[in-house]
Amino acid sequence: MTERIREFLRTRREDGPCVVIDLDVVRENYHAFSRALPDTRVFYAVKANPAPEVLGLLAKLGSCFDCASVVEIELALAAGATADRISFGNTIKKERDVVRAMELGVRLFAVDCTAEVDKVSRSAEKVGVADARIFCRILCDGAGADWPLSRKFGCVPEMAADVLEHGHRLGLTAYGISFHVGSQQANVNAWDSALASASAVFKECATRGLSLSMVNLGGGFPARYLKPIPGVPSYGDAIFRALSKHFGNQLPETIIEPGRGMVGEAGLIEAEVVLISKKAESDDVRWVYLDIGKFNGLAETMDEAIRYPIRTARDGDATVPCVLAGPTCDSVDVMYEKTPYMLPFSLEIGDRVLIEGTGAYTTTYSAVAFNGFPPLRQYVI
Ligand SMILES: *Cc1c(COP(=O)(O)O)cnc(C)c1O
C-alpha cells in the first residue's frame, strides 16, 4: 500500500467497499514500460481500468490506447488522445461500430478472419476512408498465464497471410500481426514462439508482395499478487532477444498493450468482514464473508485464477484456513475454497481488510446492482 492510499483511507467516511487508485504508480509503470522497450509504442488496454483520471494521465504521458468498443474510443478521445493514437483492437466488432470509429478518426483495426476484413473494407468505403490499416491476430496458447486469452481471438498463423491479403485486395493496408500471450503471464519467454509465428507470417506475406510493418505484442505483463513475478525490464530484455532472433536486423515496428501491468498494482480495495462462521462445530475451516465478492469487484477470483494478497490489522497473529466468500445470495460468489486462504484466527466481524493489486479488472467487472450491492466505488488520487 502506498503512503498516499494509506492517508486517503484514514480520512474516508463513506460506507461500503471501495478501490483507491494511486496515479503515481500508474505514472511509474508507464515510464517502466517505456524504458524497458524504448522503441515500442504503448497502447494502454482501456478495459483494465477506464477511469477518466487514469486515461487522462496516460494521454498526457504520450500513451496510445487499445480500445474494444466505441464507448472506450470516446473515453480515450475525451481524455485527450487523438484518434491516430487509438486502435480498435477487438476482433469482434459490429459493422456500424467500425463506421462510427472511422467517423471519429480511428484508422487501425484488429481482424482475425475475412468476414471481419469485409466489415472494415465496407466501412472505409462508406465513410470515404482511404488509409485504414488492419492487423491480423494470431492464436497463442496462453501457457504460463493465470488468465489465458486463448481460443476466442485470433486465427492459426497459417491463415493470417490470407486474411491480410484479402484486406489488401480490398484497398486496406495490411499493417501487421498481433497476439496476446495470456494475461498475468509469468514466463518472460512466452513471446518467443508467438514471434516465431509472426515472423513466418511476415515472410509468407513478402512472397505475396505484401510488406508488413508492425508486430503488436499485446498485453500479459503481470501485476504482483501473492507469487513473485519478474520485473518489467526482464520482459523487455526477453522480448528484444526474441525479436532479434526471429526478425534479425529487420526489426518491425512494435507496440505493446499493457492493461494489468499498467494499473493492477496502483489499486487497493478496502473491504469489511460481514460474517465469520463454520458449517459444523467440528470443521477446521472457517467461512469468512466480506462485503465484496465476485459480483462487485473480484470477478477474477473465478476458478481461483487470481489470488490477491489480503492484509488485515491482525497480520502476525496465528492463522487458520478460511473459505473466502462475497456477500450476495448466489452460491458461486465464493472466491477461495479449493485452496483455502490463511487468515488470522483473531479476525473479527467488522474488521477492515485490504486487498492489494486490485487496480485492474475490478471496477470494469463489477455488476451494476446484483442483489442491490452497488458497483465498486472508485477513488483516483
Ligand atoms: C485485455 C487485452 C489486453 C490487456 O491485457 P493484460 O494482460 O491486462 O495486459 C491487451 N490487448 C488486448 C487485445 C486485450 O484484449
Side-chain angles (χ1 to χ4, degrees):
M1 173 165 47
T2 67
E3 196 45 53
R4 296 178 70 223
I5 294 180
R6 196 190 315 275
E7 186 53 37
F8 177 85
L9 287 176
R10 215 182 347 251
T11 52
R12 180 173 91 104
R13 289 284 165 266
E14 293 87 345
D15 187 36
C18 70
V19 61
V20 188
I21 306 290
D22 186 341
L23 288 178
D24 284 353
V25 180
V26 180
R27 185 182 297 108
E28 282 159 26
N29 288 342
Y30 179 81
H31 290 312
F33 283 118
S34 308
R35 268 196 308 270
L37 289 158
D39 298 320
T40 299
R41 278 198 303 166
V42 175
F43 280 66
Y44 170 61
V46 173
K47 74 172 185 286
N49 192 322
E53 299 90 337
V54 171
L55 301 184
L57 168 67
L58 289 171
K60 217 167 50 195
L61 293 173
S63 184
C64 304
F65 296 89
D66 165 43
C67 298
S69 65
V70 170
V71 169
E72 285 190 354
I73 291 169
E74 287 168 342
L75 284 171
L77 290 170
T82 44
D84 60 321
R85 284 160 61 187
I86 293 173
S87 85
F88 201 160
N90 192 341
T91 52
I92 305 151
K93 303 174 285 299
K94 288 182 179 167
E95 191 164 325
R96 54 186 179 277
D97 288 345
V98 179
V99 166
R100 183 75 190 122
M102 285 186 181
E103 287 168 350
L104 290 169
V106 176
R107 293 294 179 267
L108 186 56
F109 298 88
V111 296
D112 66 1
C113 64
T114 54
E116 195 70 15
V117 172
D118 290 340
K119 292 183 200 168
V120 177
S121 155
R122 282 191 300 262
S123 302
E125 213 161 294
K126 191 164 172 195
V127 183
V129 163
D131 56 349
R133 297 182 294 186
I134 52 169
F135 56 92
C136 185
R137 180 149 168 185
I138 54 175
L139 282 164
C140 215
D141 70 6
D146 284 342
W147 192 264
L149 294 166
S150 52
R151 281 197 4 259
K152 181 169 172 184
F153 312 100
C155 61
V156 295
E158 296 73 30
M159 196 172 118
D162 292 341
V163 171
L164 289 167
E165 189 175 28
H166 183 70
H168 173 73
R169 291 222 177 96
L170 293 172
L172 303 171
T173 299
Y175 188 48
I177 293 294
S178 77
F179 54 82
H180 194 299
V181 296
S183 201
Q184 188 68 10
Q185 175 56 260
N187 179 5
V188 299
N189 296 312
W191 281 259
D192 185 77
S193 64
L195 281 168
S197 302
S199 153
V201 181
F202 267 60
K203 286 186 185 122
E204 173 58 28
C205 282
T207 67
R208 303 183 190 191
L210 280 183
S211 154
L212 303 184
S213 318
M214 186 275 290
V215 175
N216 176 346
L217 303 157
F221 307 94
R224 187 164 11 88
Y225 299 123
L226 281 176
K227 279 182 270 175
I229 47 154
V232 173
S234 314
Y235 285 86
D237 290 347
I239 288 172
F240 186 75
R241 274 200 310 276
L243 271 167
S244 307
K245 175 171 150 197
H246 299 294
F247 286 88
N249 54 12
Q250 289 192 296
L251 291 187
E253 182 192 324
T254 48
I255 71 181
I256 51 170
E257 299 174 329
R260 186 187 306 279
M262 188 74 83
V263 292
E265 288 172 25
L268 178 91
I269 283 176
E270 183 184 60
E272 181 181 334
V273 177
V274 180
L275 180 67
I276 302 176
S277 66
K278 282 186 175 184
K279 300 295 168 194
E281 287 301 344
S282 56
D283 281 358
D284 294 327
V285 174
R286 310 207 292 177
W287 283 66
V288 173
Y289 302 89
L290 302 179
D291 62 353
I292 190 166
K294 276 214 172 78
F295 298 104
N296 57 343
L298 301 180
E300 284 201 313
T301 57
M302 201 185 299
D303 299 326
E304 311 195 11
I306 300 293
R307 242 176 133 72
Y308 296 105
I310 299 176
R311 309 279 171 232
T312 77
R314 303 177 195 277
D315 289 354
D317 291 1
T319 58
V320 286
C322 300
V323 174
L324 199 68
T328 64
C329 294
D330 188 313
S331 56
V332 307
D333 193 8
V334 173
M335 292 171 287
Y336 303 121
E337 181 174 20
K338 272 185 297 187
T339 311
Y341 208 100
M342 298 305 287
L343 288 170
F345 180 70
S346 52
L347 195 70
E348 283 182 12
I349 292 171
D351 278 0
R352 305 270 147 189
V353 300
L354 299 174
I355 310 173
E356 295 183 333
T358 41
Y361 304 119
T362 50
T363 57
T364 39
Y365 278 164
S366 167
V368 169
F370 177 51
N371 248 191
F373 291 95
L376 181 59
R377 192 198 302 263
Q378 176 161 251
Y379 303 97
V380 180
I381 60 172

